[in-house]
Structure formats: structure tokens, C-alpha cells
Amino acid sequence: GVGFSAFRHGTLTIGVQRHQLKDVAWRILKPQEHADHIIAIIQTARKLNPSLPILLSVSPIPISGSFTHESVMVTDCLSKSSLRIAAEIVLESGLENVGYWPAFEAIRWLSAHCGPVFGVEDAYDHRHLATRFAQAITDSFVEFNYVREENDGCVGVIGKS
């Protein structure tokens, strides 16, 4: 996930210096802004390799802190939601050989049915994904993308039977 981004005089700014902080407004990028950046990155990468397959994903690992919202949960939700919508915008943009792998959805939505997914091996740190879930996502990804002969994109069922 991406937290807040710095804007100076209405322009996204990277590498803000301490003396510039008074001129900075902080906000989460809107989904279309994220999508525009992702598309630009894909277009740049495709200049080097026009047939490069691109796989988008949103990290299921929660943001650990927020300095603008009172709640880190609100920041995490806004950030992940914005990135997921941006990924969908990119998928709908018509770029060829671009897919999405639902690691975020597998952890955040399926976890309600599968028990604890964070802090299982390391109870004091609730940001580390349980090994069994990380392994299931990785195994599913490899099986879907590298083992099957027919590959109809980058969306599949998480978990092995």
C-alpha cells in the first residue's frame, strides 16, 4: 500500500526537503492518478521489451503508521482501495499482456473464513503474514502461471486442493 503523497503547489513532489514542508499538502493519490502512473511505468518498461508480461497486485500487508489520519486502519483502507481500483482501471485500459494477481483479496477477504493470517508465528508483530498463507499464495501463483498449459490471464483460485 501507499500512504500519503506530498504535493507542493498542487504538484506531486518526491524528495521533499525539510525547509519545503511548510508548502506541502499531504493526500492519498486518487485511483486515476495511481493508474496514470502505473500505465506510464508499463509503457516505459515496454520500450525495453514490448512483449513484457505485467502482473499487478496489491500487497495484503497492512500499513504500520499514519501521520495524517487519526487511524492507521483508515489510512490502510483508503490506500489499498485506491490501489485496487487503480489496478482495475489499468486492466480496463486495453494494455495487452497485463493481469492481476489477487493476493490482497486472498488474505483480506478469505482470512475471515480461514482463521488468523497475521502474527501467527510471531504473536507480537501482527504485520507478518503466516507462513502457510504466504506459501498458499505463492504455490497458487506458480501453479497457475507456470504449471498449467492453458493460461487465460492472471486470475485464478487461491489455495491448493
Side-chain angles (χ1 to χ4, degrees), residues 28-48:
I28 291 178
L29 294 179
K30 294 183 177 10
Q32 187 63 57
E33 292 172 311
H34 279 303
D36 292 344
H37 292 295
I38 294 167
I39 290 169
I41 291 166
I42 292 170
Q43 290 171 336
T44 299
R46 294 263 172 88
K47 287 178 184 175
L48 299 172

Side-chain angles (χ1 to χ4, degrees), residues 73-91:
M73 292 182 290
V74 171
T75 299
D76 188 57
C77 178
L78 289 171
S79 174
K80 303 292 188 189
S81 298
S82 181
L83 289 169
R84 182 57 185 95
I85 294 167
E88 199 63 27
I89 291 169
V90 173
L91 293 173

